Each structure stands twice: as C-alpha cells, then as structure tokens.
Amino acid sequence: MLEPGRRCIIASICIIIIFFTGIFGYHLIEGWSYLDCMYMMVITLSTIGFGETHPLSPAGRLLTIFIIIFGISTGAYVLQGIARFIIEGELSNMIKKQKLQKQIEAIKDHFIICGFGRIGSRIASELKESGVAFVIVERESKLNEHIIDEKGYLLVEGDATDDEILKKSGIERAKGLVSALASDADNVYVVLSSRELNGKLIIISRCREESGKKKLYIAGADKVISPYHIGALRMSMAVIKPNVYGFLELITENKELDLDMAEISISDGSALHRVALKDSHIRDKLGVIVIGIKKHHGHMLFNPSPREFIEERDHLIVLGSKAQIKALHDMVSKTTREGLLSITKKLDLKEVRYDMSSEE
C-alpha cells in the first residue's frame, strides 16, 4: 500500500497529465482556442456538464470519453485514499508522529539506540529504569505499535545508516549513541556517520565478529562489545568460579535486591575536591564501598588507598544500597564547605579534613 502523501502526489500528477492532454487534444482535433479547450476540460473533469463549448467531431467525442473515464478513475483513487487515510487511522498516526518528533526536538543530552532487537530492547529497558532519556531508531514499521504504544518510548522510524534519520533523532544534541544493529557492516556505517555528525558523542557499538571490532574502533567507536564473547566469558566463569559468578549476577541482575553499583562524578567546584578518601567518611558513615576511582587524567585505581585524594572530574565506582548512593550523590553535589558541613551534621559525620598543601 502506498503512503497517503505518495498517493496524493501520484493522483495530482495524473490529473495534470489528463488536463493538459485534453487541452492539446481538443486544440489539435477540433481546432479550438486554448481558452475554449481549457474551459471544456474544467467542466468535463468537474462533471458540471454545462454543455459542449462547440459541436464535437467523432474524434473529439472519443477524446471526451477518454477524459471522463480516466478523470473519474483518478477521482475515485483520490477518494479511496482519503477514506483509507481517515478510516484506518492514518491521520491519527501522522498526528502521533508529529507529536513524537516535537518531543524529540525538545530533549538534549540523551542517548540514541539504533536497532530494537533483543539487545536494543534490553538496553532501552535499563535506560528507562535508570531515568536516562533516549530515542530509538528502528526501520521495522511493524515494531512501531510495540515501541510507542506499549513501551512509551520515543521513536524515529527509519534506517539508522541514513544521516537524515540520525539528525531527526537529535544526534547534534545527544550525549551518546548505542549501535545495536545485527550487521557489523551497518554498525560500522552508523559509527562513521555519527562521529562525523557529532564529534563529542559517546559511541558504543555491538560487534558480532571479532574481526569487526578493530574496524569499529577505527570508525570512531569509544567502546565495542561482543555479546557472544561476554556470554562465553560469563558461562565459563559460572563453571570455573561459581561463587564469583553468583556475586556478579546478584549485583547486576537481581532487581529485588537493594544493592547497586554506580558511577559518581566529582564535578568542578565540588566540596569533596582534595579530600582524602578516608576523611570523606564515604565508607564508615554512608556505608558505601569505593571499588575504584577513575582519575581525571584517565588512570583507573582499583581498591584505592584510604589516603587517596578525591579530585575534580574524578569518577568514583561505588557499591551500596540505593539510599546510600543517593546520599553520596547529595554529598558530592555540594559546592561549598558550609554546604558539605551541613550534610555531614545531618548524617552525624565528623568534620571533613582538607589537603591544603596544593591550594593557591
């Protein structure tokens, strides 16, 4: 079935062809002026039937029959399209698409998920649960109802390898993109296009074959993940290190357990800047375990020393309950010492000691 817009375009072209064919036909067959020919065409196609402008020859009557038959057929084609447009809800679908596009144009710092297969749908579910804004790009129209109506996700229907589709998903304003297409070649193309459209984008790509991983990194991906490779590693861990596997499964897949692993960013101006880990009381008062610190210069510290200083633009990798992690978020967001002291008093913490040696 043709789309309503394309149906109207085709019908309009047919009417124009019939209209001008009739004008030149009457002029050549009957020798009428172009004004008379145009008038004859208008009253014939509109089925007003005022009467013939001039007496018609047999050839002119055949031309009139041709115009009436094709004109009525084209009109019926247009009416059928309008009826289908209204009855089957295509008008409603168009309004829904326009509303979705306006919502997409209003968001920023979101993630774009290319492909809504088994992996893409799971990623979308996790992002929604974490409160992260995202837009799905999917070319299979049969998934529209499931994505929009049942899941309530923002959707751009189209091929993710098309630059215009990526622009519709707001790639210039996006924070990151996940390419979860089935083909490595398509993922490489999406990564190339995305990196060109937004050089600051965080790009994560799926990879089916190990040979495609290098190509994806060359194309501009920040992280390439092979589900088959990770699945094999976890299965082997379940055999070799069952307790380690059980612990990882507990903290990553058990939604009922009040335990979460999180990444806490130390923003510029945070009151925890230049505070030693042991003096922050993150562990002894909040009960949050700091597993690692990714330093602002890129170096990762695992099981950091209690004497390690927290600095601006560091990222703390922590493990704790949702309430504990929320309290830590509140702590690192404080930008003044007075604000930090107020939250320490609220949590019954000791006064935080600062490293003053490097302050200017």
Side-chain angles (χ1 to χ4, degrees), residues 104 107-116 120 123-124 127 132-138 154-156 159-160 162-163 165-181 190 194 197-198 201-205:
I104 293 170
I107 64 173
K108 61 180 181 178
D109 293 331
H110 58 288
F111 278 80
I112 300 169
I113 303 174
C114 300
F116 197 73
I123 294 170
L127 291 182
V132 178
F134 62 91
V135 175
I136 294 168
V137 178
E138 175 57 55
L154 296 178
L155 169 72
V156 174
D159 192 341
D162 186 345
D163 287 3
I165 296 297
L166 291 175
K167 289 178 182 178
K168 282 185 179 180
S169 66
I171 193 167
E172 294 94 343
R173 308 181 307 276
K175 181 178 181 179
L177 178 140
V178 179
S179 186
L181 302 178
V190 170
S194 303
L197 293 170
N198 186 343
L201 203 65
I202 300 170
I203 301 177
I204 302 168
S205 178

Side-chain angles (χ1 to χ4, degrees), residues 11-128:
S12 301
I13 293 173
C14 290
I15 290 174
I16 292 171
I17 292 173
I18 294 170
F19 187 76
F20 284 100
T21 299
I23 290 175
F24 289 112
Y26 284 126
H27 179 72
L28 294 174
I29 295 172
E30 304 293 348
W32 298 347
S33 67
Y34 284 112
L35 180 60
D36 287 343
C37 295
M38 187 180 298
Y39 177 75
M40 183 66 180
M41 283 302 303
V42 170
I43 63 173
T44 302
L45 289 176
S46 63
T47 67
I48 293 176
F50 280 149
E52 298 172 354
T53 307
H54 302 286
L56 289 169
S57 64
R61 290 176 181 174
L62 288 173
L63 177 61
T64 303
I65 292 171
F66 167 83
I67 291 169
I68 292 172
I69 291 174
F70 281 90
I72 292 175
S73 299
T74 304
Y77 182 78
V78 173
L79 290 175
Q80 182 187 8
I82 293 173
R84 178 172 174 266
F85 186 69
I86 296 173
I87 294 172
E88 295 186 9
E90 292 186 16
L91 179 61
S92 175
N93 289 336
M94 181 175 289
I95 294 173
K96 186 185 295 183
K97 286 182 180 179
Q98 290 176 348
K99 183 180 178 181
L100 275 175
Q101 191 58 41
K102 287 182 179 179
Q103 288 178 307
I104 293 170
E105 290 171 357
I107 64 173
K108 61 180 181 178
D109 293 331
H110 58 288
F111 278 80
I112 300 169
I113 303 174
C114 300
F116 197 73
R118 286 174 295 180
I119 293 177
S121 59
R122 182 64 184 269
I123 294 170
S125 177
E126 293 293 331
L127 291 182
K128 183 179 181 179

Side-chain angles (χ1 to χ4, degrees), residues 291-303:
I291 300 172
I293 301 178
K294 184 176 181 182
K295 303 299 291 182
H296 56 278
H297 46 69
H299 184 63
M300 176 67 81
L301 297 176
F302 293 100
N303 189 23

Side-chain angles (χ1 to χ4, degrees), residues 342-355:
S342 68
I343 202 168
T344 59
K345 290 177 182 178
K346 181 180 178 182
L347 296 171
D348 193 27
L349 303 182
K350 298 176 182 178
E351 184 174 340
V352 176
R353 299 201 304 271
Y354 285 82
D355 172 39

